[in-house]
Amino acid sequence: MLLRQVPRVLGQSAAASCAVRSGVQRRHLNLHEYQSKELMDTYNIPIQKFVTATTAEQARQGAIDLNVEEIVMKAQVFAGGRGKGTFSNGFKGGVQLSKDPEAIGDMAGKMLGQHLVTKQTPPGGVPVNTVMVAQALDIDRETYFAILMDRDSNGPVMVGSPDGGVDIEEVAESNPDSILKVPVDIKEGINDEQTAIMVKHLEFEGEQAVQAADCIKKLYKLFIDMDSTQVEINPFAVTPGGEVVCFDAKIGFDENASFRQKDIFAIADTAEDDPREVAAAKIGLNYVGMDGNIGCMVNGAGLAMGTMDIIKLYGGEPANFLDCGGGVTPEGVSAAFEIITSDPQVEAILVNIFGGIVNCATVAEGIIAACKQTDLSLPLVVRLEGTNVDAARELLANSGLPIINAEDLDDAAQKAVATLGA
């Protein structure tokens, strides 16, 4: 995404690497193309006619019901390169064109229930559970338009280029002068002058300029109303008949607004997400899976990142980032253990808790209960510090469980790494 601020990964820092992953994966909710178009339709923003289908018969009937000259069908996945992708059954192309509803139904049967592999998916691909069956419209001219929340501008910024239909990153490299950025005062909103500047830059004229300006204003209203971080239209295009249409859309939402946007967040599709991350999010834990073999359970994002880095410093590899938050509970500890141990790569667990708000003794009781409840057989190293820490360490020492107490974080990391060779 243009203008996205991404943390820099320094060297081999596990924490920095995880910061990038967690920032990209967990800060934003993304919608499928059909969901974005459904939302735009509620704002009377011009889009193609479409239906969605989860079965081949629904796709066939939907193509009939659209009653259009030509149909485009797209696999609904969170990955680019769909048109050149390959399905797990060998069928090629996650974007298909046809004038025959029967052919649409046949091709939908080859897409649904399969995994689609593209240049942006994991090697095994991602599942296709829904297809969008839409009216295929010819395009006379393509442009790019987006509204993004930009840190440098301390608010929204409109971004536009008369070169649309391709990745904006490519345009930025090959023809940066074609990209116009117009910061918007979030208190005032976009005005007619700013809209006119963008419309002119996108080379719309006459009636098309009027349509484009109307679209831009409606897209901005959607952006503000829905607490969006990104509304990207590519292509923002003109048909041979002179209609300005939003052909493809990507809309992202800040998860901090989930309490206001409950309807939007309720339709989140987690089929492509790591199931451990989904399970953690449901109970208020922040989890990101990694590639190592030492599972981590920590309270506080900064402490979690420091824990991962010190594991790496002593020759280990963290298996995950898991932040339990400030109010660690016995139930949360048990849930965290279940999520950590669901990763077959984990060979040891390191618990690092600082008891500021939380009582360390309460945490110790939760760890003991979680060990018994999950029948934990992996080596467990525990470092506790803070409120009532002496009582907590005594509880662990007298639990009868093979829990390894650690005095400080260095000691904990070294002991966790040492268990791998035991």
Side-chain angles (χ1 to χ4, degrees):
M1 182 179 89
L2 190 69
L3 302 180
R4 172 173 284 171
Q5 305 294 318
V6 178
R8 179 178 297 173
V9 180
L10 302 176
Q12 297 299 313
S13 167
S17 175
C18 187
V20 173
R21 289 198 59 199
S22 61
V24 171
Q25 290 186 5
R26 303 310 303 169
R27 284 174 59 193
H28 299 278
L29 165 70
N30 292 305
L31 298 183
H32 284 298
E33 181 182 353
Y34 78 89
Q35 294 171 318
S36 294
K37 287 187 173 180
E38 287 174 344
L39 182 57
M40 288 193 297
D41 194 38
T42 65
Y43 282 80
N44 296 315
I45 296 167
I47 58 172
Q48 300 148 282
K49 292 165 56 178
F50 76 95
V51 296
T52 57
T54 57
T55 68
E57 175 55 28
Q58 287 178 355
R60 184 191 72 84
Q61 187 60 51
I64 294 172
D65 294 341
L66 283 175
N67 191 27
V68 295
E69 183 176 341
E70 190 171 21
I71 304 148
V72 59
M73 180 169 61
K74 298 182 180 182
Q76 297 298 285
V77 296
F78 296 120
R82 289 176 294 178
K84 296 181 180 179
T86 301
F87 290 86
S88 48
N89 58 4
F91 184 66
K92 295 185 181 297
V95 178
Q96 298 288 340
L97 282 167
S98 180
K99 295 182 178 181
D100 181 7
E102 295 296 332
I104 289 294
D106 180 63
M107 290 186 290
K110 296 175 182 177
M111 292 183 179
L112 292 163
Q114 302 294 322
H115 280 66
L116 177 61
V117 180
T118 79
K119 61 183 180 180
Q120 293 186 12
T121 67
V126 292
V128 177
N129 299 317
T130 303
V131 293
M132 183 181 72
V133 181
Q135 176 186 20
L137 294 174
D138 291 332
I139 295 177
D140 189 51
R141 191 172 69 86
E142 298 179 323
T143 75
Y144 172 95
F145 177 74
I147 305 168
L148 308 170
M149 193 62 74
D150 179 38
R151 292 181 184 176
D152 290 342
S153 303
N154 289 322
V157 60
M158 291 192 293
V159 181
S161 171
D163 301 324
V166 296
D167 289 340
I168 194 64
E169 288 82 0
E170 294 178 14
V171 176
E173 291 182 5
S174 62
N175 188 17
D177 292 340
S178 75
I179 297 175
L180 174 68
K181 293 181 281 189
V182 180
V184 177
D185 186 329
I186 197 167
K187 295 179 181 178
E188 301 295 332
I190 57 172
N191 55 44
D192 290 341
E193 181 182 359
Q194 291 172 317
T195 304
I197 290 171
M198 179 58 69
V199 167
K200 183 178 180 180
H201 180 75
L202 297 178
E203 300 176 3
F204 289 108
E205 297 179 348
E207 175 58 27
Q208 293 174 16
V210 175
Q211 293 180 49
D214 184 60
C215 275
I216 287 172
K217 291 177 180 179
K218 289 176 178 176
L219 288 167
Y220 185 80
K221 179 170 173 54
L222 183 158
F223 179 87
I224 293 297
D225 288 353
M226 296 291 106
D227 291 298
S228 297
T229 56
Q230 168 194 21
V231 173
E232 183 180 48
I233 311 298
N234 190 23
F236 184 41
V238 182
T239 69
E243 294 181 335
V244 178
V245 177
C246 297
F247 276 85
D248 199 356
K250 294 179 181 177
I251 305 178
F253 306 85
D254 192 329
E255 286 193 352
N256 290 322
S258 61
F259 71 99
R260 278 198 300 261
Q261 305 296 342
K262 293 180 180 179
D263 290 343
I264 287 292
F265 280 81
I267 63 173
D269 184 352
T270 60
E272 297 177 35
D273 295 344
D274 185 327
R276 296 167 300 179
E277 295 183 13
V278 175
K282 286 181 179 178
I283 55 176
L285 304 178
N286 296 309
Y287 176 96
V288 177
M290 301 182 75
D291 299 325
N293 52 7
I294 298 179
C296 305
M297 191 192 86
V298 190
N299 65 327
L303 188 60
M305 296 166 95
T307 301
M308 291 189 298
D309 276 346
I310 203 163
I311 286 173
K312 202 166 180 67
L313 177 66
Y314 287 110
E317 292 291 340
N320 63 271
F321 167 101
L322 197 157
D323 171 20
C324 292
V328 185
T329 64
E331 294 78 16
V333 174
S334 291
F337 275 24
E338 289 179 2
I339 292 169
I340 292 171
T341 55
S342 68
D343 182 351
Q345 296 184 134
V346 172
E347 299 176 21
I349 298 175
L350 192 161
V351 175
N352 182 23
I353 300 294
F354 177 77
I357 300 173
V358 67
N359 188 321
C360 285
T362 301
V363 175
E365 291 171 352
I367 291 172
I368 293 168
C371 288
K372 293 177 179 178
Q373 181 176 333
T374 60
D375 196 23
L376 185 69
S377 59
L378 297 173
L380 173 61
V381 179
V382 177
R383 180 258 184 169
L384 299 175
E385 191 59 71
T387 305
N388 212 13
V389 66
D390 291 334
R393 290 174 178 169
E394 186 175 349
L395 282 169
L396 295 177
N398 296 331
S399 67
L401 297 169
I403 297 173
I404 304 170
N405 263 309
E407 292 297 320
D408 53 38
L409 187 48
D410 286 277
D411 185 38
Q414 291 179 70
K415 286 178 175 177
V417 172
T419 65
L420 302 179

